[in-house]
Amino acid sequence: MNAVMRGLDGVIVDETAVCLADKQKNQLYYRGFAIEDLAERCSYEEVAYLLMHGDLPDSVALDGFKRKLVGLRELPEALRIVLERLPGNADAMDVLRTGCSVLGSIEPDIQSSRLTGGVSQHWLANWPISY
């Protein structure tokens, strides 16, 4: 009789260069960088750039990326209406999840599969301000 695997322990779904969860070291890496190092030394935009482009940005690339994100920060009206109707004491993660679901439903180019595409950047631009 075969052993029954419970949950996802030991299940490999796919391989990626974006993230590594090292169970033995209890460590999470983004593009080869320990997440603790990124949290201590990098801004939200620097980590977003790393995830999307594969390397940390230099100052010129970071300035351009920040300008682009600022230009995408206006919340779509449908998302703003939903977020305004949530209780003021709602858990921040619940609000973020709801915002992501709504934004995913209303984005016009959601079929784009490119990580660096407009949908990804619009989401990155809106997440920090969605709660």
Side-chain angles (χ1 to χ4, degrees), residues 19-128:
C19 181
L20 170 66
D22 188 331
K23 184 178 176 180
Q24 284 71 35
K25 294 181 182 178
N26 197 29
Q27 187 72 44
L28 182 63
Y29 299 91
Y30 286 164
R31 301 274 189 190
F33 294 91
I35 196 167
E36 293 85 1
D37 293 339
L38 292 171
E40 287 177 17
R41 296 183 179 96
C42 297
S43 67
Y44 173 83
E45 292 86 357
E46 286 172 303
V47 175
Y49 186 98
L50 170 68
L51 292 173
M52 294 179 76
H53 298 282
D55 54 4
L56 288 169
D58 60 24
S59 61
V60 173
L62 181 59
D63 287 343
F65 188 63
K66 284 181 177 182
R67 279 193 303 277
K68 185 169 192 171
L69 292 181
V70 166
L72 295 170
R73 285 225 162 108
E74 184 175 337
L75 292 180
E77 183 67 12
L79 176 57
R80 187 189 60 73
I81 290 168
V82 169
L83 293 177
E84 286 178 349
R85 290 186 177 165
L86 295 176
N89 64 346
D91 179 77
M93 290 306 292
D94 291 341
V95 174
L96 182 61
R97 183 189 63 237
T98 300
C100 291
S101 295
V102 172
L103 191 57
S105 298
I106 63 176
E107 275 296 330
D109 57 348
I110 196 66
Q111 298 304 317
S112 171
S113 62
R114 292 178 37 117
L115 181 63
T116 58
V119 171
S120 299
Q121 290 181 16
H122 197 182
W123 284 35
L124 288 169
N126 279 279
W127 282 348

